Amino acid sequence: MKAIAVLRHPGDCVETAPRMQLIADSAMVAAGRPLFLPDFAPSWRARIGLAFRISRLGKDIAPRFVGRYVDAFCLCMQLMPEGAAGDEAWGGLFDNCMALGTWRPVPDGEAIGIKMEDSVCDVGLGDIAVEQAVAAVSRYATLKTGDVIVAAFLPWVVGVKAGDDLRVDVDEEPALSVRVR
């Protein structure tokens, strides 16, 4: 299983050759498991993304057929180092850097209400552009059952430190709960 993040925010267009980040399978942590901060950076921040699970093998998938290849979505939280040499280059290439929330069915065209502490936003599936994001990734890599595509990251970036307990809700239900150690 691999994860590929399309580096964009909801509402941004998905380019023909989008900026992407490959996230190692050892970086992904299942729902309810803690994230451990590595010691190679003095401080850390996290961003929240909308991840979609691939349900069947596919290559060069046309946007109109993406619904046949995606069976669920969840929120994810990716750790990003601050103050380390080449901190942007680390991306998803270190263990235990991305927490996945609870998988849930993909809504039919409705907006998703996302809340983290005092930050709230409503994101429509059209803003996420999951069809275009999955199609763009599948142009370059064969997608396999269980792969995860992060179609967009919310514009929120939060500082994190050991001992933090972070919670993000979708439509007023817990969707992502992360303990930082």
Side-chain angles (χ1 to χ4, degrees):
M1 165 177 67
K2 63 184 168 289
I4 299 173
V6 179
L7 302 176
R8 57 181 283 281
H9 296 295
D12 293 349
C13 69
V14 178
E15 299 180 20
T16 306
R19 288 184 45 228
M20 293 182 267
Q21 179 184 61
L22 180 62
I23 300 165
D25 61 345
S26 61
M28 291 181 278
V29 177
R33 306 284 305 205
L35 289 180
F36 294 92
L37 297 176
D39 60 1
F40 64 79
S43 61
W44 292 86
R45 55 195 166 109
R47 61 183 171 187
I48 307 299
L50 292 113
F52 294 82
R53 185 174 61 201
I54 301 300
S55 60
R56 59 190 273 197
L57 184 70
K59 173 76 173 140
D60 205 14
I61 304 165
R64 70 178 184 263
F65 297 125
V66 166
R68 298 177 185 176
Y69 292 84
V70 172
D71 70 347
F73 89 100
C74 73
L75 296 182
C76 63
M77 178 180 290
Q78 184 181 24
L79 292 176
M80 301 177 303
E82 284 188 310
D87 58 7
E88 287 300 317
W90 287 102
L93 295 177
F94 59 92
D95 290 345
N96 200 29
C97 73
M98 179 175 281
L100 298 174
T102 305
W103 291 104
R104 53 183 66 221
V106 179
D108 293 330
E110 56 196 64
I112 302 167
I114 301 172
K115 180 181 179 191
M116 180 176 175
E117 296 174 358
D118 295 332
S119 300
V120 178
C121 72
D122 288 323
V123 180
L125 286 181
D127 295 331
I128 300 167
V130 65
E131 293 86 2
Q132 289 77 18
V134 171
V137 171
S138 74
R139 239 179 260 126
Y140 302 100
T142 299
L143 300 179
K144 297 180 179 180
T145 302
D147 284 352
V148 175
I149 305 299
V150 181
F153 286 100
L154 298 176
W156 307 334
V157 176
V158 296
V160 294
K161 62 187 180 322
D164 285 352
D165 288 323
L166 304 167
R167 179 178 153 172
V168 186
D169 297 335
V170 168
D171 297 331
E172 299 183 24
E173 293 181 21
L176 177 67
S177 183
V178 180
R179 297 187 123 181
V180 180
R181 302 287 171 238

